[in-house]
Amino acid sequence: MDDRRPGAADGLFRGDRLERAYAATMDLYRDLRGPGAARISDAREFSVHPGGRRALFAGVMALYDGHLVARIYEIDLQSGVSKPVGDRPAAERLPRYSPDGKRFAYLADAAGSGNYQLVVGDAASGVVAATPVVPGWVEDFRWSPDGTRIAMVVAGHGADRAGADGAIATLRAEAPPASWAPRIETEIEPWRWRRAWIHECDGRRSNPVGPDDLNIWELDWLGGEALAVVASPGAGEGLWYSAGLTLVPLDGAPTRELHRPVRQIGCLAGSLEGRSLAFVEALCSDRKIIAGDLHIRDDLTGAIRSVGTHGVDVGQIAWRPDGAMIVAGQRGAETVVARLDPDSGVWDERWSSDRLSTGGYYPAIAPFGESGDCVLVGEGFFTPPEIAIIEDGRYRVIVSLDLGGSAVPPLPEAILVEWTASDGLAIDGWLIRPPGDGPHPLIMVVHGGPIWQSRPRWLGRSPYLLALSRAGYALFFPNPRGSNGKGQGFAERVLGDLCGADAEDCRSGLDLLIESGIADPDRLGVTGTSYGGMQSYHLVTVDDRFSAAVAVSPIANLHTQQALSNIPEFVELFLANALADPRLCTNRSPVTRAAAVRTPMLSICGALDRCTPPEEARQFHDALVRCGRPSTLVIYPEEGHGVHGFPAIIDFTARLSCWFDDHMPVSRPDQRGHGAML
């Protein structure tokens, strides 16, 4: 693995301790990912063959140089033995069997440029073949009920990726201009559009469907001759927030609006016989990150009804041949898998856990059969990803993907903490408590969104969290109002109140941990990404208890966020028509209170971030510098929303770890050298 220190040549790495932190982070990465070991360290996007004996998945492996790559594998669900599919080296994702099990398909990016195209294979022989190249990259696809056609969402070269995927503008199709040439942007940018295409497997041809003025965000089949799509009349990323549900007939007939939602919609799932369409409608912060209320539209009557899910915020839906559905989601701290009969309302909970969950933004499963059996990638805070199966309600591990570097005894303790906000609202969060007596130095990790949730996900997915935990820090993951898992009423309490009562929920949870002797009041830190980064900024402007803070991909100024981001509609939605009252943006913008900050601040962002542009972090940093406050700004030139790529993730982890060690060390000054960071 290439362990050259990013930035070493330009002096960004200074000091022996930062050098040691970098080396230790490289060692941690080797333990977790095993570069060059030719072993799968993570898995996602499972699809089970209708026979139930084998499955396809995208397996993640670290190359010799440390970069992660995903390839498609087939696994025997009895033996746990996996083998790669196809013989062409490429970045691959999203494998799916056809409903009849005769074929499978996945997406492949042969050149590594983000240009994913459809590949179709024969399930019996395993032989795969590329399909005709479409003018854009395939973002998603769905098999037709009879398994002969594939409907695709094709995004134009140059279209933005969702914030969940890094919020980077993809490469344009044409050759890059000369270095001196200007970059030109207009109101007419056809390359940003997403359109529906149909691939005919038997004829090996692909054709666009639907009108040119309809931008397709998501789709599924509604019977064999129509598509149900989440669509908007324009291609701007922020238009997803107001997208509606539309019927696109495949015979060329006019499109027809099926549903104009109050909130955001997603998780489309057409029933196999084509009579019903299920979807989720919920308040959402980001495209592709949706969980909430389950609705079903009957195609014969056009009626839409809400279906009870026993308190579960649903994030995945799969119809079964008998007309029932398997759903997965979150109920408070629990990850839940259930079988639901939508006609009778019978709810059969097949499995739930408050200690294990799955990877991804929300719980993800691959169901098979009629009873609710499914395959998933199970994990917990200290449980590395494991391919598991739920059969007859029992969780069974098929194969662990731990490469041997995850268990370092004694392990910290994961505790669900519950408290009451000042207005009487019940709030909870997770505490990772190190061994030994408190009080401990504690770092509060505020999740993004604001509509999301902290749940038991493997800490190794965010190496900096694992490094901080191993160093002896307590980690506190609050789920304030606005979080998922407690219904729409709880989530919608954040509307019009960004960095308001939800921030006080976090502070009151911190008060509880201090009063109980768990958190050391003299060694408190805060960090978060995206909206969590904005919260980190806000909290240090209203609370001087924090010894150190790190904001990643943050928002500092809601005026400029609305002006420069590719999702200005976010501000309009969550500040309740901020354009009509600009004072709302001013009052809730942390940059306007920078003079009140006493906490050393580290701001981290990606230069390519279209969602929370780097100008946000720069504004707050510049304001702190002008006020004479300690502040450091780090901009990664090849990163977007969040820091994910290698080797930037190594630099990020080492730099963040040392920031907290500099300002709130695990060992007090008179104990320095005994258990210091990394």
Side-chain angles (χ1 to χ4, degrees):
M1 181 172 68
D2 183 359
D3 62 355
R4 290 176 296 174
R5 296 158 176 75
D10 58 16
L12 289 180
F13 274 87
R14 293 190 296 268
D16 291 342
R17 191 148 49 85
L18 191 52
E19 290 282 352
R20 290 198 302 271
Y22 185 88
T25 303
M26 294 291 286
D27 289 340
L28 175 63
Y29 190 81
R30 288 188 181 97
D31 289 343
L32 298 178
R33 295 298 188 179
R39 293 180 60 188
I40 300 170
S41 62
D42 198 3
R44 52 182 179 246
E45 301 172 336
F46 270 78
S47 176
V48 184
H49 189 272
R53 298 184 59 85
R54 52 189 168 128
L56 296 170
F57 68 95
V60 179
M61 184 181 297
L63 304 177
Y64 280 101
D65 63 3
H67 289 83
L68 298 179
V69 64
R71 289 209 57 196
I72 304 304
Y73 292 83
E74 182 183 68
I75 183 171
D76 184 299
L77 296 177
Q78 299 302 314
S79 67
V81 175
S82 299
K83 61 180 181 180
V85 173
D87 56 2
R88 298 176 302 166
E92 299 168 342
R93 60 179 298 266
L94 206 60
R96 286 180 176 147
Y97 284 109
S98 61
D100 58 11
K102 295 180 180 179
R103 295 182 172 105
F104 62 86
Y106 59 88
L107 305 179
D109 174 20
S113 61
N115 184 26
Y116 282 92
Q117 298 291 321
L118 185 70
V119 174
V120 176
D122 180 83
S125 66
V127 175
V128 301
T131 62
V133 175
V134 294
W137 50 279
V138 183
E139 188 171 33
D140 195 6
F141 70 90
R142 294 288 190 276
W143 282 99
S144 64
D146 64 3
T148 63
R149 292 169 294 170
I150 298 172
M152 301 177 283
V153 176
V154 178
H157 294 298
D160 292 344
R161 297 190 182 278
D165 297 328
I168 293 176
T170 56
L171 297 176
R172 295 279 299 276
E174 64 267 20
S179 59
W180 62 266
R183 186 178 67 182
I184 300 172
E185 297 182 8
T186 73
E187 80 283 4
I188 304 172
E189 297 180 328
W191 57 85
R192 296 196 186 279
W193 286 72
R194 287 169 164 82
R195 306 191 187 281
W197 283 66
I198 300 292
H199 175 70
E200 305 280 349
C201 293
D202 293 333
R204 296 193 72 252
R205 58 182 179 272
S206 300
N207 295 292
V209 295
D212 292 340
D213 59 354
L214 198 65
N215 189 76
I216 309 297
W217 301 107
E218 187 177 342
L219 55 72
D220 201 4
W221 292 83
L222 194 56
E225 299 304 325
L227 300 176
V229 303
V230 177
S232 62
E237 184 70 21
L239 293 177
W240 174 82
Y241 290 100
S242 57
L245 189 60
T246 299
L247 179 74
V248 177
L250 300 184
D251 61 2
T255 61
R256 177 164 54 92
E257 183 174 83
L258 300 178
H259 178 55
R260 175 55 52 183
V262 175
R263 295 301 184 201
Q264 290 69 53
I265 55 174
C267 304
L268 298 189
S271 60
L272 298 183
E273 88 292 342
R275 190 179 68 86
S276 300
L277 176 72
F279 60 93
V280 169
E281 183 169 345
L283 178 64
C284 300
S285 311
D286 302 87
R287 183 167 67 90
K288 293 192 174 184
I289 305 179
I290 182 168
D293 294 342
L294 176 63
H295 297 271
I296 296 179
R297 184 187 188 278
D298 187 285
D299 191 50
L300 297 179
T301 66
I304 294 177
R305 59 189 173 95
S306 177
V307 180
T309 57
H310 293 249
V312 175
D313 279 351
V314 173
Q316 185 179 359
I317 309 164
W319 289 92
R320 299 289 85 199
D322 64 353
M325 58 177 61
I326 309 300
V327 299
Q330 203 73 18
R331 181 177 56 212
E334 290 183 303
T335 296
V336 179
V337 177
R339 184 181 188 276
L340 172 64
D341 186 323
D343 294 326
S344 66
V346 172
W347 175 270
D348 180 13
E349 205 153 295
R350 304 300 295 166
W351 178 79
S352 66
S353 175
D354 64 358
R355 296 290 149 174
L356 292 176
S357 189
T358 75
Y361 286 99
Y362 289 118
I365 60 170
F368 62 95
E370 305 291 347
S371 66
D373 293 346
C374 60
V375 173
L376 71 161
V377 180
E379 61 184 64
F381 286 118
F382 310 110
T383 302
E386 54 192 21
I387 300 174
I389 190 168
I390 296 174
E391 290 179 304
D392 300 323
R394 293 189 297 272
Y395 180 96
R396 175 173 62 87
V397 178
I398 298 174
V399 59
S400 172
L401 302 180
D402 182 14
L403 300 189
S406 297
V408 179
L411 287 175
E413 182 181 13
I415 306 167
L416 182 65
V417 181
E418 299 175 304
W419 67 96
T420 303
S422 59
D423 60 358
L425 192 65
I427 309 294
D428 62 42
W430 287 97
L431 171 68
I432 306 298
R433 182 175 182 174
D437 297 330
H440 305 283
L442 181 141
I443 300 170
M444 181 163 65
V445 184
V446 186
H447 68 66
I451 313 298
W452 195 34
Q453 184 192 46
S454 291
R455 54 187 172 84
R457 300 191 349 162
W458 181 45
L459 290 182
R461 292 196 180 281
S462 302
Y464 76 95
L465 293 177
L466 189 57
L468 292 172
S469 176
R470 287 186 177 183
Y473 289 98
L475 302 178
F476 175 43
F477 302 87
N479 282 314
R481 67 194 69 199
S483 301
N484 281 116
K486 294 186 177 181
Q488 288 301 288
F490 189 83
E492 291 183 356
R493 285 176 177 267
V494 77
L495 280 176
D497 194 28
L498 290 179
C499 291
D502 58 342
E504 296 308 304
D505 293 342
C506 296
R507 294 175 70 192
S508 60
L510 200 59
D511 292 339
L512 173 66
L513 297 179
I514 293 172
E515 293 166 4
S516 62
I518 294 173
D520 184 346
D522 296 325
R523 291 181 292 170
L524 300 175
V526 62
T527 187
T529 299
S530 194
Y531 180 68
M534 181 182 180
Q535 281 276 33
S536 299
Y537 278 167
H538 167 77
L539 287 166
V540 297
T541 68
V542 298
D543 194 330
D544 61 5
R545 291 181 295 177
F546 296 103
S547 300
V550 180
V552 184
S553 301
I555 297 171
N557 184 337
L558 288 165
H559 290 290
T560 54
Q561 169 69 14
Q562 193 170 26
L564 300 178
S565 169
N566 70 341
I567 51 169
E569 292 83 353
F570 171 90
V571 178
E572 297 172 23
L573 172 63
F574 282 94
L575 271 189
N577 194 17
L579 287 175
D581 185 1
R583 292 172 299 177
L584 284 172
C585 281
T586 300
N587 294 339
R588 296 306 171 96
S589 295
V591 72
T592 63
R593 300 183 300 278
V597 175
R598 299 293 183 270
T599 302
M601 189 79 234
L602 174 62
S603 298
I604 297 175
C605 59
L608 304 181
D609 191 347
R610 297 264 300 154
C611 180
T612 56
E615 289 82 0
E616 294 300 307
R618 177 171 291 283
Q619 285 181 75
F620 202 77
H621 167 71
D622 288 349
L624 292 179
V625 171
R626 287 195 300 271
C627 294
R629 305 294 186 256
S631 178
T632 297
L633 173 65
V634 176
I635 303 176
Y636 291 98
E638 297 178 355
E639 296 296 309
H641 197 59
V643 181
H644 307 288
F646 183 89
I649 189 66
I650 305 298
D651 182 279
F652 167 78
T653 300
R655 201 172 293 279
L656 183 147
S657 299
C658 279
W659 187 262
F660 285 114
D661 191 36
D662 280 344
H663 300 288
M664 46 176 291
V666 171
S667 298
R668 291 187 177 278
D670 59 344
Q671 300 172 321
R672 202 67 182 155
H674 301 281
M677 166 63 67
L678 297 173

